[in-house]
Each structure stands twice: as C-alpha cells, then as structure tokens.
Amino acid sequence: MAAPEQTRTNRFDAVPETDGRSHGHLEKISARPTFFRGFGKSIKDIWAFRELLGNLVSKELKVRYKESVLGFLWTLVRPLMQLLVYSVAIGIFLGSGKVIPEFGIYLFTGLLAWGLFTDIVGGCTGSIVGNAGLVKKVYFPRELFPLSVVGAAIVNFLLQLVVLLGAYVVTGEWPRVGDLLLVPLALLALITFATAVGLLLAAANVFLRDVQHLVEIGLLLWFWMTPIVYDWTKVKTQLAGTVAEPKPDTTWLFDVYMANPMTNVVLAFQRALWPGGRLPGGEPFYYDGNLYLRLGVTFAVSAVLLFLAQRVFARAQGNFAQEL
C-alpha cells in the first residue's frame, strides 16, 4: 500500500458530449502535500495506530533483554558501572570529588539525563533498518518505529530513577522542593530535541548506513562537551584565564558552549536533583542562571526542529522499502 505522502493520483474522467465529440480532462483527486503541510495528518495517523505503538514499545523492552539472566536489571547495571568508573577515575584520581560536594549524586544526575538522550538518539538511528522486514511487508506510519524507541527509553529512565532515590535514602540528603519544577521542563526539552534528532537520523541511516557509526562518534564528543563529569565553572574559568594571564574576550565562546541543549538539560537536572549544590557558605555551586528561560527557548527551538524532522522523515519514508 502506498504511503500517505506518496498519494497523488490523477483520474481521467469522460466529459459529457456537448459538441458531438467525445473528449475528457484530467481531474486531480488527491494532491501530494507540500513540505510544510501534512504534519497534522501524520499525527492523526500515528494516533490511530497508538495501540500498535504500545505493542512496539513492549517489544522493544522485551527484545533488549531477551534470554538474559538479569533481565531488566541490566537497565540499572550500565549507569551504575558508569558511575563507578567516573567516580574512581575523575572523582578520586583527578580530584574532582574533593571540589564537587556529593560527587556521586552530582555525577549520576548528569548520567541519568545523558542516558535518556543517547538511548533515544542511538536507538532511533537503527530503528528503521532494524525493522526492515516489517517496513517492506506491512503499511503503518513508519514514525512508530523511532517513537517506540522513545517510549522504551522513557521506561528505562524511570527505572533508573530508583537508583537516585536509593542514594537519597542512604545519604539522608534530599533535593530542594523549589527547583523540582525544572525536571519536567528539562525532560520535555530533552525528549522533544532527542526525538527530532532521532527522526532525522533514522531516515538518513536508511540511505547511508555509515550514519549509525558516525552517531556513536558524535555522541562521544557530545558527552565531553556537556558538564556531566566536570562542573560548568571549569569551562568558564578556563576560557576567561587568570588575573595574571587574562585571555582575550571569549564570552561568545562560553555562550556557544551554553547553547548546547544538553548542557541546559544537565544543568537543570543537577540544580533540581543534586542536594549538594550549595557550598557551606550558602553560595550556589550549581548554575544559578535563568534555567527556566533557557529550557523554554530550548523546547521552542526543539519543537520547530521536530516539525521539520517529521516533514523530512515523511518525505523520505516512501523510498524506505526500496532502499531496504
């Protein structure tokens, strides 16, 4: 069955004889949507297949840990191992644990956000190619494949929150209530942005399989451009230089660093979920800028990007079966 975006049919209709001769004309009965139209129809199609989307999310979760002994516990093992490695290497060997209070929780809040982002982007990239058999045989909105990855990643994220809650119970330190509103706003921005990037990469990977390898390298570089295992003040300090050896004005470079959507998301997670964010004197160690505004802008830009990504995906999906 043809995809909706491909539907363009002309019908030859006979015109009643008016002058003794039979003739006709082509009548356009369904026009192909332009690039900027058709988004609403795609959303309706996805909603109509919401039950299938739920089944795909369930399948995504079951397949990932199929026939493994620990099953869903692997969801917790990976971030815990990352936490252990970074705590030893950076917290102890490089001394960050002496500078950043409650370094373990600080680290885990960043890893929590980053894990959700990489699960969505990395999983979406291979979602169409990985389901080539279904793509070639049955029609339903192809967006369901990357969206099922998003759903499974959110479930894993919620499971990993248990580790953070356990850390609060053990330390007896709990986050400040006043900053907790940053968490849903940061999640909204993160999921919107990651879904947009995932849709684009899922479509691109069908036509160029190198994309999935480039994504792995890109995510590695992106990780170190985000203040997860170090604090954001180090970047500002290094760019500004010292009083004895000041550097040229690099404010614009710091602004570029802060324009990274994941920087704002991670800073929001740290401010909201990291109880050790204030120094003994009461001064904030976390980023105390207007994160609500920054996340609002990030979400708005991500929403536009998601719209454009869906339109690109919709245009490309007509050739998926042929390329696969």
Side-chain angles (χ1 to χ4, degrees):
M1 183 180 296
E5 293 295 326
Q6 293 177 294
T7 305
R8 182 172 60 179
T9 308
N10 290 329
R11 185 176 62 192
F12 183 82
D13 286 337
V15 175
E17 293 183 10
T18 55
D19 55 359
R21 294 178 298 174
S22 176
H23 58 275
H25 69 275
L26 290 174
E27 179 188 355
K28 186 181 288 186
I29 61 174
S30 179
R32 183 179 184 178
T34 61
F35 181 82
F36 292 102
R37 300 181 66 180
F39 182 79
K41 185 178 183 308
S42 296
I43 297 300
K44 286 181 181 177
D45 287 343
I46 293 170
W47 179 251
F49 285 89
R50 59 188 179 280
E51 187 174 348
L52 177 59
L53 177 60
N55 292 333
L56 288 174
V57 171
S58 178
K59 168 182 167 284
E60 189 74 25
L61 291 168
K62 290 177 181 175
V63 168
R64 181 175 299 185
Y65 304 111
K66 185 180 179 182
E67 298 181 359
S68 66
V69 176
L70 296 181
F72 281 98
L73 286 178
W74 283 113
T75 302
L76 307 180
V77 170
R78 188 186 66 173
L80 285 174
M81 286 305 297
Q82 286 180 313
L83 179 63
L84 177 64
V85 170
Y86 289 131
S87 293
V88 173
I90 297 176
I92 297 176
F93 294 161
L94 296 183
S96 291
K98 298 177 182 177
V99 179
I100 302 176
E102 298 180 22
F103 184 68
I105 297 179
Y106 170 86
L107 195 55
F108 194 79
T109 53
L111 290 175
L112 199 60
W114 184 256
L116 177 59
F117 178 67
T118 54
D119 280 354
I120 293 176
V121 173
C124 284
T125 301
S127 61
I128 301 297
V129 175
N131 291 284
L134 282 174
V135 172
K136 289 189 281 189
K137 291 179 181 176
V138 187
Y139 171 72
F140 51 83
R142 304 308 188 215
E143 289 92 339
L144 294 190
F145 292 117
L147 288 180
S148 68
V149 172
V150 175
I154 292 173
V155 173
N156 285 330
F157 170 82
L158 294 175
L159 290 174
Q160 291 170 3
L161 274 179
V162 175
V163 177
L164 192 59
L165 291 174
Y168 293 150
V169 172
V170 170
T171 61
E173 298 284 342
W174 293 84
R176 297 167 296 280
V177 177
D179 291 326
L180 286 180
L181 280 177
L182 284 171
V183 176
L185 187 55
L187 277 176
L188 189 62
L190 187 159
I191 293 170
T192 306
F193 177 66
T195 304
V197 175
L199 277 176
L200 285 173
L201 293 174
N205 192 47
V206 174
F207 301 95
L208 184 62
R209 304 299 164 79
D210 299 79
V211 169
Q212 56 192 341
H213 304 292
L214 291 172
V215 167
E216 292 177 9
I217 298 172
L219 287 175
L220 180 62
L221 295 174
W222 205 333
F223 175 82
W224 290 102
M225 291 298 294
T226 306
I228 298 172
V229 297
Y230 57 87
D231 63 277
W232 67 278
T233 59
K234 280 190 171 57
V235 179
K236 191 172 186 178
T237 303
Q238 288 297 322
L239 291 176
T242 62
V243 176
E245 296 180 3
K247 293 182 178 179
D249 185 13
T250 53
T251 306
W252 66 273
L253 202 53
F254 184 69
D255 290 339
V256 170
Y257 177 80
M258 292 297 291
N260 173 5
M262 283 308 297
T263 293
N264 292 289
V265 169
V266 167
L267 289 176
F269 267 62
Q270 291 168 350
R271 182 160 152 183
L273 300 175
W274 175 40
R278 285 188 179 275
L279 298 173
E283 302 87 6
F285 190 82
Y286 54 73
Y287 179 75
D288 61 345
N290 192 344
L291 278 174
Y292 288 98
L293 177 62
R294 300 187 73 89
L295 289 173
V297 172
T298 301
F299 170 69
V301 173
S302 299
V304 174
L305 182 60
L306 179 60
F307 169 79
L308 295 174
Q310 194 282 327
R311 299 316 303 147
V312 171
F313 186 95
R315 285 275 168 163
Q317 67 175 332
N319 296 320
F320 283 173
Q322 181 181 349
E323 293 294 330
L324 292 171

